[in-house]
Amino acid sequence: MPFAPKLPAHGAEIPAIGFGTSGMGDVRAEHIAIALKAGYRHIDTAWKYRTERAVGEGIRASGVPRQEIFLCTKVSHEYLHADDFARSVDESLEKLGVDYVDLLLVHWPEKNTPLAETMAALAKAKRQGLARHIGVANFNIAMLDEAIKFCPEPLVTLQAECHPYLDQTRVIEACHKRGLVLTAYCPLARGRLIGDPVLADIARRKGKTVAHVALRWLMQQKIIAAIPRSSNAARIAQNIDVFDFELSDDEMARIKALARPDGRTANPAGRAPKWDV
């Protein structure tokens, strides 16, 4: 059974591949249990996904001890004032059926809530033992630096869309300089990568799938943790099997060259910041 290496960041050790539940409103406990039995030890959910209850049930059904699982959830942009933030954290813990999460994130920035207030609430959740580590999602680099400045506890990750069709070089470098892990959501570009001829050619040469190649490309950048999602049991098990091969420098460069101007898939109007690409 493959187990992902762990990426260090300010005291956290984040498994380099996880199981994502974004966009899986129909996720069932059995999907989570399948993932954990396949070797995943990093599970990603959020209040906004409406998957927290199924995630908690799946963790308990899997038989994997809670302390072996790196569990992440997020507070949605509607709840970033301090009192609302605290209530959201309590609600997430109740739905998950756990006393703490390993990672708690601010899901999206919100321009009408003072960032200092939100970061204080995030740090408070950590100090209360409700989250072992904290971070942010969907912040641009300038917002990330503001969050670091305002937060009295260290951030360990920026969760952002990242895959070969989206050039996130600046964001990856920013995370590296700040000692953060970049947690890559939509690592397969919501399925858009699957028919790509360059990825297919490399996959054929390696005896792997296109998904394997795309995920391996992220892994070899050393500070990226990828969280692919699937409701198919075979693909859930297949996606974690990325640790028995390596991409050459030439293959890494060929994949990097796939970036395109329309590569981004998550860009909600009125909520997305001004991106760095």
Side-chain angles (χ1 to χ4, degrees):
M1 179 188 298
F3 287 100
K6 295 179 179 180
L7 304 174
H10 300 299
E13 291 190 334
I14 303 176
I17 192 165
F19 183 72
T21 62
S22 170
M24 292 179 66
D26 61 344
V27 70
R28 298 190 300 274
E30 67 186 75
H31 297 130
I32 308 304
I34 287 167
L36 289 167
K37 289 174 182 177
Y40 293 84
R41 291 297 180 266
H42 177 177
I43 305 294
D44 182 87
T45 183
W47 182 92
K48 196 77 169 178
Y49 302 162
R50 300 181 180 178
T51 58
E52 289 173 321
R53 201 171 297 282
V55 165
E57 291 171 357
I59 288 172
R60 289 185 289 278
S62 73
V64 175
R66 169 68 185 92
Q67 63 269 23
E68 293 184 12
I69 299 168
F70 190 91
L71 175 61
C72 172
T73 196
K74 312 175 192 74
V75 175
S76 192
H77 67 281
E78 300 98 327
Y79 303 117
L80 299 188
H81 284 293
D83 290 345
D84 296 333
F85 195 101
R87 282 192 292 271
S88 180
V89 173
D90 287 343
E91 182 179 332
S92 288
L93 294 177
E94 186 277 326
K95 286 180 177 177
L96 288 162
V98 298
D99 297 326
Y100 70 94
V101 291
D102 298 273
L103 180 60
L104 180 67
L105 305 181
V106 174
H107 202 159
W108 286 88
E110 205 288 301
K111 62 184 178 182
N112 296 316
T113 307
L115 186 57
E117 179 181 358
T118 301
M119 289 299 107
L122 182 63
K124 184 178 179 180
K126 181 184 177 187
R127 289 172 172 175
Q128 290 176 321
L130 305 180
R132 293 181 62 229
H133 304 287
I134 55 176
V136 295
N138 299 299
F139 281 39
N140 62 26
I141 295 170
M143 289 175 172
L144 174 63
D145 283 337
E146 287 285 290
I148 291 169
K149 181 177 76 173
F150 285 128
C151 194
E153 294 287 332
L155 304 182
V156 303
T157 193
L158 168 65
Q159 186 171 125
E161 181 176 350
C162 192
H163 50 74
Y165 283 176
L166 180 63
D167 183 2
Q168 288 284 47
T169 302
R170 289 182 61 198
V171 175
I172 294 167
E173 290 176 352
C175 287
H176 179 71
K177 289 178 181 177
R178 291 154 183 80
L180 305 183
V181 167
L182 175 66
T183 304
Y185 73 78
C186 294
L188 305 178
R190 294 180 174 167
R192 291 171 64 197
L193 300 180
I194 300 306
D196 186 273
V198 171
L199 295 172
D201 177 62
I202 296 171
R204 194 163 48 247
R205 293 169 188 269
K206 299 291 186 183
K208 290 290 184 177
T209 68
V210 166
H212 285 143
V213 170
L215 293 170
R216 184 69 200 179
W217 179 77
L218 293 170
M219 308 267 133
Q220 285 186 210
Q221 297 182 60
K222 303 300 184 186
I223 66 156
I224 298 179
I227 46 173
R229 69 187 188 197
S230 179
S231 59
N232 178 282
R235 281 196 293 273
I236 290 171
Q238 189 178 68
N239 283 343
I240 199 173
D241 190 20
V242 293
F243 304 109
D244 61 348
F245 76 104
E246 289 191 5
L247 299 171
S248 68
D249 290 346
D250 177 66
E251 289 165 338
M252 291 289 288
R254 287 179 68 196
I255 296 168
K256 181 179 173 62
L258 295 175
R260 54 180 67 180
D262 64 346
R264 189 176 297 277
T265 68
N267 196 25
R271 193 190 317 160
K274 182 178 179 181
W275 301 113
D276 296 293
V277 292

